[in-house]
Amino acid sequence: MEMIRQPFFWIMTAVIALFALLPPLTHDVGLRESLFLAAVYIILAGNLNLLIGYTGYVNFGNIVFFGLGGYLGLWLVTVFRLPLVVAALLAGLAVAAMTAALWCRILRLRGAYFALASIGIAEATKAFVSNFEPWGGATGLYLPMGAFKAMGGPREALWTVYFLMVAVMAATLYLSYAVKKSKFGLGLFAIREDEEAAGVLGVRTPYYKTLACTLSGVLPAVAGTLFFFKNGVIQPEQAFDLTLSTEAIVMLMLGGQGTVTGAALGAFLYEQFRGYLLISPTFSSFQLVIAGALLLVTVLFMPGGLMGWVYQRWPRLRRILE
Amino acid sequence: MLGVLASMLDGVLVGAVYGLGAIGLTLIWGVMDVINLTHGALIAMGMFGVYLLFSGLGLNPYLALVPVAAAGFLIGLAIYWSAVHRVIGRPPLMSLLSTFAVNMVLIGLGTSGFSTSPYNVDISLPGISLGAYTFTGNHLVAALAAVAIAGGLSLFLQRTRLGKAIRAVSSNRKAAELMGIPAARVLAQAFGIGIAIATAAGGLIATLFPFTVLSGGGYELKSFVVTVLGGLGNPAGALAGGILLGLIEGGVTPFIQVSWIPVIEFALFVGILLAFPNGLFARRGH
Amino acid sequence: MIRIASRHALRSLALALAVFGLAAAAPAAAGDGTITIGFTNSETGALNVDSSSQLNGFKLWADQVNAAGGISVGGKKQRVVFVTYDDQSKADRVQQLYSRLILQDNADFLFSPYSSGLTATAAIISEQYGKVMITTGAAENKTYQQGNKYLFQMYAPATTYLSGALEALKSVNPKAKLAVAYKDDSFSKAVAQAALARARTLGFEVVFNEAYAPTTTDFGPLINKIISAGADALVGGGHYADGATLARQVFDHKVPLTFLSLLVAPDSPQFASLGDSAINVTAPSQWAPQVTFKPDFGPTPAAFDEAYKTAYGKDPGYHAAGGYGAGLVLQHAIEQAGSLDADAVTAKLNSLDATIFFGHVKFAEDPAFHGLQTGHAMVSVQWQKKGAELTKEVVWPKGGATAPLAYPLR
């Protein structure tokens, strides 16, 4: 594939290798926990990029893919005793199917209406799941401790889940890059710039939009299963957390929407920053204030985010760091 | 049967307050095509404003609405000039994100100051009983206040110079500017008024239910639903939409589990958005 | 710092320590000379009222133990050190913080957060890393049915909560029409389901049975339905925030109830601030200062009550008692095991069958529900108006009551 000859491909691979090798080599479980969360954020922001950055549709309710994937996956594991990987893949496929058939309908709406509808769907899903008894209603689904036995006990299971999450992160990065360099990606950018004009010029707008939207839901759904498996429990409030959903947008904007590096960098930096604030008693509520202030400055003065600033300063990096 | 009627009446009372809560949102949306995502945080600020004046100074919560709304107006001006002015006319994503950013800052400051613990405005007015059902005094007064404020806004928009200027700018900004109306300043004041009403609504809600810094989020979502029901940019419609929502809630709760109401509300919301992609009432001008 | 408890308590504590210190034969585990106990506390958020009481219980225990030099581990005294964070009443913070407590703060033992929901989350982490966790403030049964080895529950399980209230109701109004309205979370649901079963065996007619969303602040629709159903007794609720709101709104709506029993909320001293809404409301309680247990080790109920009042200036509710009890039981097990090793301490906890000021303590050993509390029983308390003051009395079971049940509600 042509992609392999690009330097950026190897940069991504190096980063993925770091994620995969550092924690086991240093035996540092704390580092693993931190990188695990970073990987989750990168997956959320990176896939969201397909819809916001490439296509220009602001999905405020993107958490719905993550949450539904988590519920489906955990349900398959607890009720049908499927192995984790199988459950995760099935959850991803199921969410992709539901997204393509139902969720993508709201792509008919434009601008702010689309954003609001996406919130409406996320809230409706959360409210529905809270009442849905087969999935535990408001109390959620619990994973029996025995589920870890199939993977060799809890400690080994946590490592396995970590590596699986890194694999999903890798898939996210490669997918974003592949889409960006393809004709499909070009079409999406055209839609973002001016949807009517793109249609007139021959871009198959409805089909491309649906495809982008479906793709943006698959990997977060798989990640959802992995995340909540590690969690041991899934509950509606946590699964469909609108705050995390909007934080994904913040990460993307801060890093630089429309670029693969931007999404990854924004997510990683945000996770580090959040982790620090978690235990600092003075600042734990300040996380939102600082994040909000950063976002405001970015939106008003630097809409291209961090990568936008980097590209302006060092234009040659635009070719290398996609 | 009386039970269903009582439920619906109660719904109407609470719905009037929801409607007032949505007026600020719909006004700003209608006038300058900005979806104000700080709406929830400002409702919460109204709640805390009334709480502080009531518990700290012993001021009657209904009287406290006046200084709270005034403060809301000033805060609205500040938010307009700092975050909204530069993004008007730019793609909608930008205004969504800038108001959202301000929202994050406000909520962050709020949780730093008040954490997420629940608070209460402890005032209990005597209610009216219809058979076994009681309509608490708080509900009745809040509903009346909501209608009064909404009526006041309507008169303001129809009769005063500023009100007419706001309607002019909302209808056609260029033409208004050509007629000598300082559009940016008028927009700022409209934004301020929208926020003032939001804080007033928050203050009224505080007299009804306990609240936390995060409560505003829930009412913001309700405001979206009400706005879509009542028609964009239409304050009277927002009040009607709120009452309609309250009526639906009240009419439906006796027959199903109360916890299903949010599902119905949000499904209705998405449904109406899909059925009317440009909003319930066609926009004029833009 | 917290001042030392009464001399009586200190003497019994010192005696207990001496006895068990001598009895322990195993050598002390190597360490830095301190025992680190990790947990999160809901300093902020909806659960903060009860979580703070629980924290006071933990602190009182730790202060008393350290004043006596520490816990005796195989003959050597080691001081207790707490590492604690604010979980903001949120489950996802609990996860991250407990992982941190284990991985970075090197906690030797863990206490649970407050509430069944948060404890269920913390238990997953503690089990994943094989750390002993004493749970208090957590009554729900399901947590112990997931196949754990290191969990131990101080509270009587949720399924026993409302039996006393229903029996008390039966004694005054056997034909009552019962409404059950409860918070839609794991704890309250478990209580409600057990209560419904008990209500049916006692012959009550259940006219209303519904759960409300945990974030509910407007109970108007629910209350109207209860009125429509013609209920004259209401049981249920959830935790402090929603319970207090429900009590207030039930009063404001003048619901014609003759009996009102709510979970958790009425036990808190803060409930009295509701004024008239609180009169004659009952609550199931894990403990009250007036109980008359004779402890095998640790302070007597009166001594604990005294010490708490001296330290904090108010009466302890059962959340504080549970917190203190958790520390006491852990201390006892460590001293018996003579080491800090998780499996050694677990063995001693498994074999424990004793009475402390909190009541009879025995943990289930059956792996199907390991750690469930099988010895402890609930009492019912009620806020009664004496003159101008509201005081909390024990009204059930009749044998241990300090005042008769005040009936009807208003």
Side-chain angles (χ1 to χ4, degrees):
Chain A
M1 271 199 297
E2 219 227 55
M3 233 170 55
I4 305 191
R5 288 193 278 159
Q6 300 294 334
F8 186 61
F9 178 84
W10 295 105
I11 296 177
M12 284 196 297
T13 310
V15 169
I16 294 165
L18 274 175
F19 266 76
L21 294 173
L22 264 180
L25 287 180
T26 58
H27 293 295
D28 190 344
V29 183
L31 179 65
R32 183 196 75 198
E33 290 296 303
S34 172
L35 289 182
F36 181 80
L37 259 187
V40 173
Y41 286 9
I42 292 176
I43 293 169
L44 288 177
N47 283 289
L48 188 58
N49 201 13
L50 295 176
L51 208 51
I52 296 187
Y54 295 3
T55 323
Y57 276 77
V58 185
N59 181 3
F60 262 93
N62 56 80
I63 198 77
V64 80
F65 307 130
F66 185 69
L68 265 183
Y71 260 102
L72 278 168
L74 224 63
W75 181 62
L76 288 172
V77 169
T78 50
V79 174
F80 297 97
R81 311 290 174 114
L82 292 181
L84 178 62
V85 179
V86 175
L89 288 173
L90 280 178
L93 283 174
V95 170
M98 281 195 273
T99 308
L102 299 169
W103 198 94
C104 294
R105 304 259 161 152
I106 64 170
L107 287 167
R108 283 201 296 159
L109 304 171
R110 298 297 178 82
Y113 295 101
F114 171 80
L116 285 184
S118 71
I119 297 180
I121 294 187
E123 286 294 312
T125 312
K126 175 159 79 170
F128 176 76
V129 171
S130 303
N131 283 295
F132 192 53
E133 283 310 318
W135 280 3
T139 54
L141 287 173
Y142 281 83
L143 196 67
M145 282 288 141
F148 291 124
K149 270 209 210 112
M151 301 172 78
R155 311 256 185 137
E156 286 67 24
L158 291 182
W159 278 108
T160 311
V161 174
Y162 174 72
F163 291 124
L164 287 173
M165 192 65 89
V166 173
V168 177
M169 181 186 86
T172 302
L173 293 173
Y174 291 137
L175 177 69
S176 315
Y177 186 51
V179 169
K180 189 168 183 202
K181 301 309 273 179
S182 70
K183 189 175 114 172
F184 169 53
L186 217 50
L188 293 180
F189 282 115
I191 293 174
R192 185 186 74 182
E193 292 307 313
D194 190 327
E195 189 163 337
E196 268 87 25
V200 165
L201 287 173
V203 175
R204 294 149 68 201
T205 320
Y207 170 60
Y208 274 23
K209 285 197 313 192
T210 307
L211 188 55
C213 140
T214 309
L215 279 177
S216 79
V218 178
L219 291 173
V222 176
T225 304
L226 296 174
F227 180 82
F228 288 105
F229 180 83
K230 170 177 182 287
N231 229 25
V233 63
I234 184 170
Q235 299 179 313
E237 281 301 322
Q238 210 187 346
F240 301 101
D241 182 3
L242 213 60
T243 310
L244 182 56
S245 201
T246 36
E247 279 180 319
I249 299 182
V250 175
M251 293 179 229
L252 190 57
M253 291 303 293
L254 286 178
Q257 49 144 341
T259 65
V260 181
T261 320
L265 204 55
F268 183 76
L269 290 174
Y270 193 81
E271 189 277 327
Q272 293 297 312
F273 162 69
R274 211 172 165 279
Y276 167 70
L277 290 180
L278 183 72
I279 43 142
S280 167
T282 358
F283 290 115
S284 59
S285 319
F286 256 67
Q287 155 198 346
L288 274 184
V289 177
I290 299 177
L294 281 175
L295 180 62
L296 189 60
V297 166
T298 307
V299 171
L300 292 180
F301 305 110
M302 286 196 326
L306 192 60
M307 289 318 287
W309 177 79
V310 167
Y311 290 157
Q312 259 191 331
R313 195 81 170 60
W314 298 286
R316 269 188 289 174
L317 281 181
R318 198 183 279 267
R319 292 262 96 212
I320 305 176
L321 280 182
E322 296 270 356
Chain B
M1 217 26 242
L2 189 59
V4 183
L5 207 60
S7 201
M8 286 169 77
L9 271 172
D10 225 0
V12 167
L13 292 177
V14 180
V17 184
Y18 290 157
L20 184 71
I23 286 181
L25 186 72
T26 198
L27 182 68
I28 293 174
W29 196 339
V31 169
M32 57 193 95
D33 211 10
V34 166
I35 297 186
N36 177 20
L37 291 182
T38 65
H39 189 70
L42 287 153
I43 290 181
M45 276 182 82
M47 293 168 167
F48 276 93
V50 165
Y51 168 79
L52 288 171
L53 288 175
F54 174 71
S55 59
L57 296 177
L59 188 58
N60 179 304
Y62 300 103
L63 291 178
L65 287 179
V66 176
V68 165
F73 179 75
L74 293 172
I75 294 173
L77 288 180
I79 295 177
Y80 178 84
W81 287 115
S82 61
V84 179
H85 179 63
R86 280 181 68 114
V87 296
I88 292 202
R90 283 219 244 151
L93 169 62
M94 293 299 150
S95 66
L96 275 176
L97 287 178
S98 75
T99 53
F100 182 69
V102 175
N103 181 58
M104 288 171 80
V105 172
L106 291 174
I107 298 283
L109 288 172
T111 37
S112 301
F114 296 102
S115 76
T116 50
S117 310
Y119 286 85
N120 242 302
V121 170
D122 261 326
I123 176 173
S124 214
L125 298 174
I128 301 179
S129 294
L130 262 184
Y133 303 94
T134 307
F135 302 101
T136 63
N138 296 27
H139 275 75
L140 292 164
V141 175
L144 285 172
V147 174
I149 296 176
L153 178 69
S154 188
L155 280 175
F156 172 83
L157 287 176
Q158 298 287 339
R159 299 290 175 83
T160 67
R161 268 196 80 153
L162 179 57
K164 291 188 200 176
I166 291 176
R167 283 164 53 221
V169 172
S170 129
S171 171
N172 190 326
R173 179 172 175 164
K174 279 277 176 284
E177 276 176 328
L178 285 174
M179 299 299 273
I181 295 177
R185 276 218 303 219
V186 167
L187 286 178
Q189 286 168 322
F191 197 90
I193 292 172
I195 300 292
I197 299 198
T199 50
L204 282 177
I205 296 176
T207 63
L208 299 177
F209 315 122
F211 55 91
T212 73
V213 171
L214 304 176
S215 299
Y219 294 109
E220 182 174 316
L221 287 171
K222 272 223 190 331
S223 298
F224 286 141
V225 182
V226 169
T227 301
V228 164
L229 274 179
L232 219 49
N234 187 352
L239 190 63
I243 292 177
L244 181 61
L245 187 67
L247 208 61
I248 295 176
E249 278 184 3
V252 171
T253 43
F255 303 108
I256 60 164
Q257 279 229 340
V258 178
S259 48
W260 279 96
I261 298 289
V263 187
I264 295 178
E265 272 180 8
F266 288 115
L268 195 66
F269 176 58
V270 178
I272 292 184
L273 276 179
L274 283 176
F276 301 92
N278 287 316
L280 215 47
F281 292 79
R283 299 286 320 287
R284 42 195 182 96
H286 294 247
Chain C
M1 275 308 286
I2 312 242
R3 284 181 292 134
I4 295 171
S6 77
R7 296 169 112 248
H8 175 84
L10 206 52
R11 244 183 287 138
S12 9
L13 209 49
L15 193 61
L17 279 176
V19 168
F20 291 113
L22 287 173
D32 55 347
T34 62
I35 302 175
T36 307
I37 301 183
F39 59 97
T40 66
N41 167 50
S42 301
E43 267 163 57
T44 58
L47 297 170
N48 88 318
V49 170
D50 300 309
S51 186
S52 313
S53 307
Q54 184 166 294
L55 176 64
N56 288 346
F58 290 149
K59 282 210 261 198
L60 184 63
W61 167 75
D63 289 337
Q64 290 188 346
V65 162
N66 286 337
I71 299 182
S72 174
V73 183
K76 181 167 163 255
K77 284 223 177 153
Q78 300 192 5
R79 294 174 58 82
V80 167
V81 169
F82 282 161
V83 180
T84 163
Y85 299 112
D86 178 13
D87 56 40
Q88 297 181 353
S89 309
K90 292 210 291 220
D92 55 305
R93 283 185 73 92
V94 165
Q95 250 140 26
Q96 289 171 47
L97 292 168
Y98 271 82
S99 301
R100 193 193 162 82
L101 285 168
I102 296 171
L103 298 171
Q104 271 144 306
D105 299 312
N106 298 310
D108 297 303
F109 299 98
L110 302 168
F111 288 147
S112 68
Y114 171 73
S115 89
S116 301
L118 297 183
T119 299
T121 307
I124 294 167
I125 307 293
S126 69
E127 283 298 305
Q128 281 176 353
Y129 293 100
K131 292 282 180 188
V132 171
M133 181 156 83
I134 314 276
T135 76
T136 176
E140 189 224 353
N141 306 43
K142 199 147 88 148
T143 311
Y144 309 91
Q145 293 164 351
Q146 306 300 325
N148 74 83
K149 277 174 61 182
Y150 300 104
L151 285 179
F152 298 93
Q153 180 187 38
M154 288 303 297
Y155 275 20
T159 43
T160 62
Y161 261 63
L162 282 174
S163 351
L166 292 173
E167 282 157 21
L169 178 62
K170 182 110 182 132
S171 73
V172 290
N173 183 1
K175 294 269 193 307
K177 295 215 177 91
L178 189 63
V180 183
Y182 54 98
K183 185 175 174 189
D184 200 359
D185 72 3
S186 45
F187 161 68
S188 321
K189 261 195 345 202
V191 173
Q193 274 152 10
L196 283 165
R198 190 96 186 88
R200 290 190 184 112
T201 43
L202 286 173
F204 287 118
E205 185 194 345
V206 177
V207 298
F208 180 82
N209 170 17
E210 235 185 73
Y212 57 84
T215 49
T216 306
T217 52
D218 180 7
F219 289 99
L222 197 78
I223 289 174
N224 280 336
K225 284 170 91 164
I226 292 175
I227 297 176
S228 301
D232 41 34
L234 172 61
V235 302
H239 293 90
Y240 186 81
D242 50 298
T245 309
L246 182 57
R248 185 186 295 113
Q249 292 185 2
V250 161
F251 182 78
D252 284 342
H253 281 256
K254 302 196 177 61
V255 184
L257 295 174
T258 56
F259 184 82
L260 176 57
S261 192
L262 295 174
L263 304 176
V264 180
D267 185 77
S268 171
Q270 200 170 327
F271 194 76
S273 65
L274 290 175
D276 286 341
S277 315
I279 298 179
N280 291 347
V281 177
T282 66
S285 174
Q286 297 276 352
W287 180 88
Q290 302 96 325
V291 297
T292 52
F293 295 113
K294 292 204 193 355
D296 294 324
F297 57 90
T300 62
F304 168 73
D305 187 30
E306 261 305 305
Y308 192 90
K309 280 213 277 249
T310 311
Y312 298 106
K314 53 187 167 179
D315 276 304
Y318 69 80
H319 299 98
Y324 189 102
L328 195 59
V329 160
L330 179 64
Q331 171 187 2
H332 179 79
I334 293 175
E335 287 167 351
Q336 291 230 293
S339 94
L340 299 180
D341 172 60
D343 290 309
V345 173
T346 300
K348 291 301 171 193
L349 286 169
N350 278 333
S351 61
L352 181 68
D353 186 349
T355 304
I356 59 172
F357 79 100
F358 192 60
H360 179 211
V361 180
K362 180 156 173 45
F363 305 111
E365 286 180 74
D366 187 334
F369 42 88
H370 175 263
L372 197 72
Q373 176 57 241
T374 54
H376 191 78
M378 309 282 293
V379 299
S380 286
V381 295
Q382 184 179 42
W383 286 98
Q384 297 183 347
K385 196 153 175 135
K386 302 259 181 325
E389 286 241 319
L390 274 174
T391 53
K392 210 173 22 161
E393 304 283 348
V394 178
V395 296
W396 198 268
K398 284 207 180 128
T402 57
L405 174 71
Y407 179 90
L409 186 66
R410 308 193 209 286

